[in-house]
Amino acid sequence: MINLLKKDYLFSKKILFYTALYCIAVPFILLLDQDGKIYLIDMLIPLALVTAPLATLLNKEDTKSGVIFQKTLPYSSFQKVGARFLFVFSLLFWGDIFVSGMKQIVFHSQNFMEAITQSFPIFAGFAVYYAIYLTTYYWKGYFASQFCIYVLIVIVVFGKQMIGARVAEFVTKICSNKVTAGMSFAGVLLILYFVCCILEERKKVDKL
C-alpha cells in the first residue's frame, strides 16, 4: 500500500509543486489585505492542497485506460482505496503543519502547538468531506465528484440555517465530548471507506 501512496505522489508531483507555491503565497496575501481575514487560511490551504492533486489523479483514472491500469495493479480494492485515503490524510496533515506554522511565524496569532491542538475539528471536517468526495467519485465518476465543492460552500455559508437549532445543538454536544466525537469520526470514515471499496471493485471499463 505504501507503493500505491508513492505512486499517487509521483503522478501528482507537478500539480503539487504549483499548489505548494499557492499555499506559500496565500498567508502573505491575507496579511497584506489587513482586513482580519486570517481565519480563511484554515479553509483555503487544506482545500487547495488536497483538491488540486486529488482531482488531477481522479481525472486521469476516470478513463478507460485509467480503469484498466487500476485493475491491472496487483492490489486489492481495500489496498487501493486505503492508499487513496492515506494520500488525502497525509496532505491534510502537511497542510495542518503548514497552517499552524504560518499562524505563529507570519500572523503571530497562536503558537505552533496551540494551533495544532485546535486544528483537529478542521482536520476531521475535511477528512469526512474528502471521504464523501471519494465515495462520490467511485459511485458516479470524476465529473460528479466536482460538485462536492459547491455542496461544501453551501454548508459552510448556510449550514446553521439549513440544519436547524436542535440539530446544531445535538452536533455541538457530540463534538464537546472528545470520546464520542472521536468514535463518531472514526465510524463515519470506516463506513465511507468500505463503501468506496465496494464501489471501486464494481467499477467497469464499459461504463465509462
Side-chain angles (χ1 to χ4, degrees), residues 40-111:
L40 289 176
I41 192 176
D42 289 316
M43 183 171 184
L44 293 177
I45 298 298
L47 193 61
L49 188 59
V50 180
T51 300
L54 182 60
T56 300
L57 289 174
L58 299 187
N59 188 29
K60 290 179 180 178
E61 291 179 3
D62 198 32
T63 60
K64 288 186 178 181
S65 59
V67 173
I68 292 172
F69 173 72
Q70 287 294 107
K71 293 295 183 181
T72 57
L73 293 174
Y75 299 97
S76 67
S77 294
F78 291 99
Q79 291 173 309
K80 286 184 280 190
V81 174
R84 188 54 48 79
F85 270 64
L86 282 177
F87 179 68
V88 169
F89 296 158
S90 65
L91 289 176
L92 284 175
F93 172 77
W94 294 122
D96 196 16
I97 295 293
F98 179 79
V99 169
S100 299
M102 289 298 100
K103 286 182 177 180
Q104 178 174 348
I105 298 170
V106 178
F107 300 114
H108 307 291
S109 59
Q110 290 178 304
N111 65 56

Side-chain angles (χ1 to χ4, degrees), residues 74-185:
Y75 299 97
S76 67
S77 294
F78 291 99
Q79 291 173 309
K80 286 184 280 190
V81 174
R84 188 54 48 79
F85 270 64
L86 282 177
F87 179 68
V88 169
F89 296 158
S90 65
L91 289 176
L92 284 175
F93 172 77
W94 294 122
D96 196 16
I97 295 293
F98 179 79
V99 169
S100 299
M102 289 298 100
K103 286 182 177 180
Q104 178 174 348
I105 298 170
V106 178
F107 300 114
H108 307 291
S109 59
Q110 290 178 304
N111 65 56
F112 182 77
M113 292 309 299
E114 181 184 1
I116 285 287
T117 303
Q118 294 182 3
S119 67
F120 177 75
I122 298 173
F123 178 93
F126 271 113
V128 172
Y129 164 73
Y130 282 110
I132 295 172
Y133 182 99
L134 286 171
T135 303
T136 305
Y137 164 72
Y138 287 118
W139 179 34
K140 289 294 184 179
Y142 170 77
F143 182 75
S145 67
Q146 300 314 296
F147 285 95
C148 289
I149 183 63
Y150 301 111
V151 176
L152 177 65
I153 292 172
V154 171
I155 291 175
V156 170
V157 178
F158 304 106
K160 290 185 178 180
Q161 295 91 325
M162 292 172 59
I163 64 177
R166 291 186 178 181
V167 177
E169 183 180 355
F170 176 72
V171 173
T172 302
K173 285 183 179 180
I174 292 178
C175 294
S176 62
N177 187 313
K178 292 183 179 180
V179 176
T180 305
M183 291 179 64
S184 300
F185 170 67

